[in-house]
């Protein structure tokens, strides 16, 4: 006799762990092993160093300097978020006049950056025709706010930080995109816009993310602000499935 699992339809629609079943008072051995594997992937995402050479090579002639925060090592990065927001003094950045600075930051998942960051840049820049874009900076041991100091040093009016997000138990490779108008030290999160969970095929695709970001950027320039007062009205979002 064939038994239909009522949870299968829901499992097929989400990466979340639902309807796992049990063995006695605990999870089955198979689910425990899958959970342990996911936990290991999340830890690896946090602790694995970014392959900087590969990212710079993929950027080609768009690549700019590689900089660091004031963090000494990964342990300090996890313990001192404040130092991850401050630019090391020997950064070597040169001030110019740019509409936009793009910063690729390792954050909490180098895997997300390695897998998705350059593809987002590839999808976004053609949508910003006529904009003056600074060479793309790669930032190590970086928090989101480090992009503010980088862009200020470059003389950019806006900064986009593409950063590895905190890994979840089903999403070790999620990339976040943070947009800040008039970046400078001291900006707070309420002054930014974020497009999260960029990680096709399980999250937002590159073209969809680029469309939302470009729409937000054009509106940010028109209104000269980002953050809680700048809303994504949904006009740039892909249509819902029928």
């Amino acid at each position: 006799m064939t038994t239909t699992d009522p949870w299968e339809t829901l499992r097929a629609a989400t990466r979340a762990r639902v309807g796992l079943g049990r063995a006695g008072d605990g999870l089955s051995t198979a689910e425990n092993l899958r959970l342990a594997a996911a936990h290991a992937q999340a830890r690896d995402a946090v602790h694995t160093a970014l392959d900087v050479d590969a990212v710079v090579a993929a950027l080609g002639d768009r690549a700019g300097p590689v900089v660091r925060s004031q963090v000494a090592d990964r342990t300090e990065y996890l313990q001192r978020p404040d130092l991850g927001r401050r630019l090391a003094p020997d950064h070597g950045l040169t001030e110019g006049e740019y509409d936009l600075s793009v910063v690729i930051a390792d954050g909490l998942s180098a895997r997300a950056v390695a897998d998705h960051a350059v593809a987002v840049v590839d999808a976004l820049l053609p949508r910003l025709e006529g904009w003056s874009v600074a060479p793309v900076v790669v930032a190590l041991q970086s928090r989101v706010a480090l992009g503010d100091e980088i862009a200020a040093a470059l003389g950019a009016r806006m900064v986009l930080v593409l950063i590895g997000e905190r890994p979840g138990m089903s999403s070790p490779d999620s990339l976040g995109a943070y947009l800040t108008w008039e970046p400078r030290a001291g900006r707070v999160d309420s002054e930014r816009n974020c497009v999260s969970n960029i990680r096709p095929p399980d999250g937002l695709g590159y073209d969809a993310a680029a469309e939302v970001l470009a729409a937000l950027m054009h509106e940010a320039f028109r209104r000269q602000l980002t953050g809680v007062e700048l809303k994504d009205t949904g006009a740039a979002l892909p249509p819902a499935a029928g």
Side-chain angles (χ1 to χ4, degrees):
M1 184 176 68
T2 301
T3 302
T4 301
D5 185 347
W7 291 100
E8 278 303 320
T9 301
L10 186 55
R11 289 195 195 103
T14 179
R15 294 290 302 277
R17 288 175 169 79
V18 294
L20 300 182
R22 64 180 184 175
D25 293 331
L27 291 174
S28 67
T29 299
E31 291 298 342
N32 267 311
L33 291 173
R34 280 192 279 268
L35 191 64
H39 185 245
Q41 283 187 322
R43 288 178 60 88
D44 285 349
V46 170
H47 291 285
T48 299
L50 179 65
D51 186 342
V52 177
D53 292 340
V55 174
V56 170
L59 286 168
D61 59 6
R62 297 166 301 182
V66 177
V67 302
R68 299 181 62 88
S69 71
Q70 295 182 10
V71 166
D73 53 36
R74 200 59 173 173
T75 299
E76 187 173 59
Y77 175 82
L78 296 174
Q79 295 175 344
R80 293 288 305 273
D82 57 315
L83 295 180
R85 301 182 184 108
R86 302 303 307 275
L87 186 61
D90 56 345
H91 53 74
L93 299 173
T94 302
E95 185 175 3
E97 293 185 9
Y98 299 103
D99 295 322
L100 176 69
S101 169
V102 178
V103 177
I104 294 178
D106 52 1
L108 286 164
S109 175
R111 173 179 168 183
V113 174
D115 289 353
H116 308 305
V118 176
V120 173
V121 174
D122 290 341
L124 175 64
L125 293 188
R127 292 172 163 86
L128 302 177
E129 186 176 354
W131 286 40
S132 173
V133 181
V136 179
V137 174
V138 177
L140 302 177
Q141 308 291 12
S142 174
R143 302 283 175 169
V144 172
L146 187 68
D148 296 337
E149 292 198 18
I150 292 170
L154 290 170
R157 300 181 69 191
M158 185 185 301
V159 64
L160 172 67
V161 178
L162 301 174
I163 190 167
E165 296 183 301
R166 186 183 307 276
M169 294 297 281
S170 60
S171 56
D173 62 335
S174 180
L175 186 77
Y178 291 81
L179 185 64
T180 310
W181 174 258
E182 291 189 345
R184 60 180 182 272
R187 285 296 200 190
V188 296
D189 288 343
S190 61
E191 296 172 305
R192 313 185 198 283
N193 289 87
C194 175
V195 177
S196 185
N197 196 37
I198 304 170
R199 55 184 195 103
D202 299 308
L204 194 63
Y206 305 136
D207 284 328
E211 197 70 16
V212 174
L213 286 169
L216 287 170
M217 288 178 175
H218 286 293
E219 187 66 8
F221 256 89
R222 187 182 74 82
R223 299 179 58 188
Q224 300 193 4
L225 57 82
T226 51
V228 295
E229 295 183 39
L230 180 63
K231 304 296 184 183
D232 174 15
T233 62
L237 294 177

